[in-house]
Amino acid sequence: MKILNIDWIELISKNKFISIIEYVEDNEDFYKNKYCDLIEKIGNIIVDNGENIYQKCQYKSDYNLWQMSTISEKSFFKTPQIFEHIKILALLDLVKTQNPTQVNISGINNSTAAFLKTLETNINFYFQNITELKSRKSFTPNFFSKNKRVKASLWLIYQFFKKLKSPAVIKNMNKESSVFIMDYFTHLNQMTNYSSNIWDPLLNQISKRNKIYFLHHFIPTEKIRSLKKASKTLNKFNINKNQVHDFIELNINVFVFTKVIFNYILFQFKARKIVSSLKDKINNHNNSLSIKFLNNSILSSLTGKELIQNMLYVEIFDDFFKKIEFQRTGIYLQENQGWEFAFINAWKKHKHGKLLAFNASSVSNWDMRFKYPFEKDKIKLIKQRKPDFFLVGSKNYKLLYGKLGYELDKVHDVEALRYIKLQKVITKKSHGKILIMGCITKSVNELMIKSLETLILKFNQFKWYFKPHPASTFKLKNEKIHIIKDDLIKKASELDFVICPSDSSVVIDCYLLGLNFIVFLNKGTPNTSPLKDLKGVKFAYNNEDVSNFIFKKNKVKRDKDFFNLDNNLNNWKLIINGE
């Protein structure tokens, strides 16, 4: 009998068990491409009359709801099942190449184990140390549940109600602007005059010559939890007559609200046909895998809150850019999220000026959102427009964009605005302090804190601190860990050691500041750190690794070309002013 032993959650193979994570990491490009191809194939499934899912999801002729969906987005933040899906693909490949008669799997969750048992195969699967997850509902009853539609409708009503409760934004400046910026209402330095960790260097250079219109996504934070309070803050910012600040959420009106409700109801007839087609394809193992493991995201894309939210984005952007005066240059933060495709098309449809997609942060190897989403044949089919140029923070990132499929003549390296203030390496003195950096994802924070609890007790000679992500509302419940809310740069000189989550770009701040840091990896998922391939960066696989690194110097020599940190912003000026 030939036996194949698989560990489902450990990051390194040991004791005759092959780590499925390690196997996936060793074949990273292959499985990223395989996953992306499978997702693309779902969109190309024929529904009826020769039309595929992409075509059935065409909305108002100029927009596409499938392109905007989380399925197409491929974000492991929004769709954590992605890695479970990829691990199963890898498992089936291992079974095919090694041809065992029995497969022993340790650490698998009950939902995945149940799925593997349904596969038509001669292989006997045996499971050890099964972890419990809430079971997913079956595809058909979940789809026809009225609950998703009711929740979606109530969510839309709530958005309209929040707008009615919020004070109107005072706009002193003529709305015709030189520079239009679409971003998120986070990373703020103060609440009286507008100051942002991302935009300050650019504003300091261009404010005198340009009128600037900000359209923000409202994100609840610890400082500002409600749209009502945030609107009052915007009115303080709008005292500056050279800037206008507005929220996309405040641009819901009765006309927009009515159109969304009407079109949402109409789309459900299409959704039924799409689901019927997906069920017909369920016999194909690969498609079955994609559909079953991503069923909640698929259903939300077709019937739930996500669908109605994407329709709302389309209607708001379409209405907004039709009414507003000509905007000469537009900049938006590029992450290839669903709303961005509606924003691009509305901007182009209503004939505004040059549009720039700016990656203000970094790209993780496993962040499949950044694979080039504007393939020629597809965007022609769904009438998706493109930004004029893509802006990245260094020549290195420009080369990475080339590998991801972007046309290099459309990619410009500019100064990395967010990191310019981190040019100077911090001089540190020992204060006996260890800082845990928070992540935007609640579950990652919970797992990281829980994993470190024994170390916090063991190394009680240190003071332990936690800095939450600015867009997270995660509540820390461990009384032995103190919360700090100051910017990292203000506390950096006092820190002996920093523990960073693997799926956060905050590790780049630690790297640029010359701090003593490690990246704490999550069991069961690949290494998603943006510094994964940077020489000298240390990664902790368990508490023992963290314990060993605390008393070692893990400072990494900084690559001066990692980001363009030129204070003069010559590249930005050239792009903005067309010089």
Side-chain angles (χ1 to χ4, degrees):
M1 177 184 289
K2 187 175 181 181
I3 298 175
L4 176 63
N5 296 314
I6 298 292
D7 195 300
W8 204 251
I9 60 172
E10 290 297 335
L11 307 178
I12 299 176
S13 301
K14 57 184 177 182
N15 300 329
K16 297 183 179 180
F17 273 78
I18 297 173
S19 163
I20 197 69
I21 298 296
E22 187 174 44
Y23 180 77
V24 166
E25 293 267 31
D26 289 342
N27 299 277
E28 178 182 311
D29 290 340
F30 175 78
Y31 284 108
K32 284 190 297 188
N33 291 331
K34 188 169 187 174
Y35 180 81
C36 291
D37 289 344
L38 284 172
I39 296 304
E40 201 64 29
K41 285 178 182 177
I42 294 177
N44 288 315
I45 290 174
I46 299 298
V47 179
D48 62 14
N49 300 322
E51 290 187 327
N52 61 28
I53 292 176
Y54 274 112
Q55 291 168 298
K56 287 295 181 185
C57 290
Q58 198 67 19
Y59 182 68
K60 296 183 64 173
S61 178
D62 292 291
Y63 304 91
N64 193 274
L65 297 171
W66 191 255
Q67 178 73 5
M68 294 176 67
S69 69
T70 55
I71 299 299
S72 292
E73 185 178 330
K74 301 178 288 293
S75 166
F76 59 77
F77 294 105
K78 296 181 182 177
T79 315
Q81 307 98 304
I82 283 175
F83 290 131
E84 203 70 4
H85 185 180
I86 289 173
K87 287 193 287 182
I88 294 178
L89 293 175
L91 172 65
L92 296 179
D93 287 343
L94 275 171
V95 167
K96 186 176 180 180
T97 56
Q98 299 201 16
N99 196 28
T101 52
Q102 177 178 317
V103 179
N104 299 326
I105 306 178
S106 176
I108 198 168
N109 66 67
N110 57 324
S111 180
T112 306
F115 172 77
L116 289 177
K117 288 180 181 178
T118 68
L119 295 180
E120 296 179 8
T121 176
N122 295 323
I123 305 300
N124 294 313
F125 289 104
Y126 292 90
F127 307 110
Q128 307 168 15
N129 305 318
I130 294 177
T131 58
E132 293 294 323
L133 288 181
K134 291 182 181 179
S135 60
R136 299 184 184 92
K137 296 180 181 178
S138 62
F139 189 82
T140 305
N142 207 16
F143 172 76
F144 289 106
S145 167
K146 295 179 181 178
N147 202 26
K148 280 187 178 294
R149 296 185 181 90
V150 171
K151 285 182 178 178
S153 301
L154 290 175
W155 178 86
L156 180 64
I157 293 168
Y158 179 59
Q159 302 310 305
F160 191 59
F161 178 70
K162 284 197 302 183
K163 184 265 172 90
L164 294 178
K165 282 184 64 179
S166 303
V169 172
I170 301 167
K171 302 171 184 176
N172 294 320
M173 186 187 84
N174 185 307
K175 294 180 190 174
E176 181 174 345
S177 72
S178 303
V179 179
F180 184 98
I181 296 177
M182 181 82 218
D183 71 349
Y184 300 92
F185 196 65
T186 56
H187 301 286
L188 301 181
N189 294 324
Q190 54 178 298
M191 296 297 154
T192 50
N193 297 312
Y194 181 72
S195 176
S196 159
N197 281 342
I198 294 177
W199 300 113
D200 275 2
L202 183 63
L203 296 181
N204 292 337
Q205 293 283 356
I206 69 170
S207 289
K208 292 180 181 179
R209 294 182 57 181
N210 298 276
K211 294 179 179 179
I212 302 166
Y213 195 116
F214 280 93
L215 184 61
H216 306 284
H217 283 278
F218 172 65
I219 305 291
T221 62
E222 189 68 30
K223 291 181 179 179
I224 303 180
R225 291 183 175 272
S226 71
L227 182 62
K228 181 178 179 180
K229 183 176 179 181
S231 300
K232 293 178 180 178
T233 303
L234 284 199
N235 282 329
K236 295 177 184 176
F237 295 164
N238 284 343
I239 293 173
N240 182 342
K241 294 184 179 181
N242 217 33
Q243 294 180 14
V244 164
H245 294 266
D246 195 0
F247 284 125
I248 184 173
E249 292 82 2
L250 295 179
N251 285 276
I252 303 174
N253 54 46
V254 174
F255 174 71
V256 164
F257 178 84
T258 305
K259 288 187 76 173
V260 172
I261 285 289
F262 178 75
N263 288 321
Y264 176 74
I265 294 170
L266 283 182
F267 188 80
Q268 296 314 299
F269 296 101
K270 288 185 178 181
R272 287 177 182 271
K273 291 182 179 180
I274 293 171
V275 170
S276 178
S277 298
L278 291 174
K279 287 191 292 181
D280 289 342
K281 298 292 181 181
I282 210 85
N283 292 327
N284 178 286
H285 278 184
N286 283 339
N287 278 333
S288 172
L289 206 64
S290 305
I291 294 165
K292 285 183 177 180
F293 267 87
L294 303 175
N295 73 75
N296 283 331
S297 295
I298 291 174
L299 296 170
S300 187
S301 300
L302 297 173
T303 67
K305 172 196 161 185
E306 183 193 323
L307 173 68
I308 212 165
Q309 184 179 42
N310 285 336
M311 287 181 167
L312 183 61
Y313 280 136
V314 169
E315 297 297 348
I316 288 178
F317 284 134
D318 204 29
D319 186 58
F320 181 89
F321 286 113
K322 179 173 69 175
K323 293 177 178 177
I324 198 169
E325 291 85 348
F326 177 75
Q327 308 295 302
R328 191 191 76 193
T329 301
I331 308 170
Y332 71 92
L333 295 180
Q334 185 216 1
E335 294 175 329
N336 291 341
Q337 295 196 51
W339 67 264
E340 296 172 38
F341 298 103
F343 172 82
I344 294 165
N345 277 18
W347 177 277
K348 296 286 186 177
K349 176 183 176 181
H350 297 293
K351 302 186 186 310
H352 292 283
K354 179 171 59 180
L355 185 59
L356 309 172
F358 173 45
N359 182 346
S361 186
S362 59
V363 179
S364 159
N365 282 24
W366 279 103
D367 197 341
M368 290 175 280
R369 294 177 300 177
F370 285 95
K371 186 174 181 181
Y372 189 62
F374 301 102
E375 297 89 351
K376 185 177 180 181
D377 291 341
K378 183 173 76 173
I379 66 172
K380 182 179 180 181
L381 178 73
I382 65 176
K383 299 181 181 178
Q384 178 61 52
R385 279 89 159 180
K386 298 186 291 185
D388 295 287
F389 297 103
F390 300 90
L391 309 183
V392 295
S394 71
K395 288 183 172 63
N396 291 334
Y397 273 101
K398 179 174 180 177
L399 293 175
L400 175 59
Y401 264 48
K403 292 178 183 177
L404 291 169
Y406 294 75
E407 302 168 57
L408 285 179
D409 62 333
K410 297 294 183 181
V411 182
H412 293 295
D413 60 289
V414 294
E415 294 77 13
L417 302 177
R418 175 178 168 182
Y419 299 107
I420 283 177
K421 66 178 182 179
L422 305 180
Q423 290 186 71
K424 186 178 180 181
V425 174
I426 296 294
T427 301
K428 300 180 295 298
K429 294 181 180 179
S430 178
H431 288 74
K433 294 181 179 180
I434 295 177
L435 175 64
I436 304 168
M437 299 298 299
C439 172
I440 194 171
T441 310
K442 180 182 177 182
S443 60
V444 172
N445 287 326
E446 290 173 342
L447 284 171
M448 187 165 58
I449 296 297
K450 185 176 181 180
S451 300
L452 294 171
E453 282 177 348
T454 55
L455 286 186
I456 294 168
L457 293 173
K458 180 180 178 180
F459 295 112
N460 56 14
Q461 70 268 39
F462 291 99
K463 293 180 181 178
W464 290 77
Y465 295 86
F466 179 79
K467 178 172 170 53
H469 187 282
S472 172
T473 54
F474 169 70
K475 294 287 187 182
L476 181 67
K477 297 178 181 178
N478 190 316
E479 295 180 355
K480 297 186 180 298
I481 307 175
H482 308 282
I483 296 285
I484 65 167
K485 297 179 181 179
D486 291 333
D487 197 14
L488 177 63
I489 195 170
K490 294 181 180 178
K491 295 290 183 180
S493 62
E494 304 173 10
L495 300 174
D496 289 61
F497 193 64
V498 183
I499 302 171
C500 301
S502 65
D503 55 359
S504 173
S505 61
V506 72
V507 68
I508 294 176
D509 299 58
C510 296
Y511 165 66
L512 293 176
L513 288 169
L515 300 183
N516 187 23
F517 72 92
I518 60 161
V519 178
F520 192 81
L521 300 177
N522 300 324
K523 284 189 176 183
T525 62
N527 184 345
T528 56
S529 172
L531 296 187
K532 176 187 173 185
D533 295 324
L534 192 67
K535 186 177 179 181
V537 176
K538 303 299 182 184
F539 298 94
Y541 295 92
N542 49 47
N543 277 0
E544 184 179 349
D545 289 340
V546 178
S547 178
N548 291 335
F549 286 136
I550 283 177
F551 296 103
K552 294 179 181 178
K553 296 298 180 184
N554 302 304
K555 182 178 174 181
V556 184
K557 185 178 179 181
R558 188 164 78 177
D559 178 358
K560 61 182 178 63
D561 296 322
F562 188 81
F563 277 125
N564 182 345
L565 302 177
D566 182 7
N567 278 314
N568 294 319
L569 303 192
N570 291 327
N571 292 353
W572 269 107
K573 291 175 188 175
L574 193 65
I575 291 285
I576 294 292
N577 300 318
E579 295 170 356

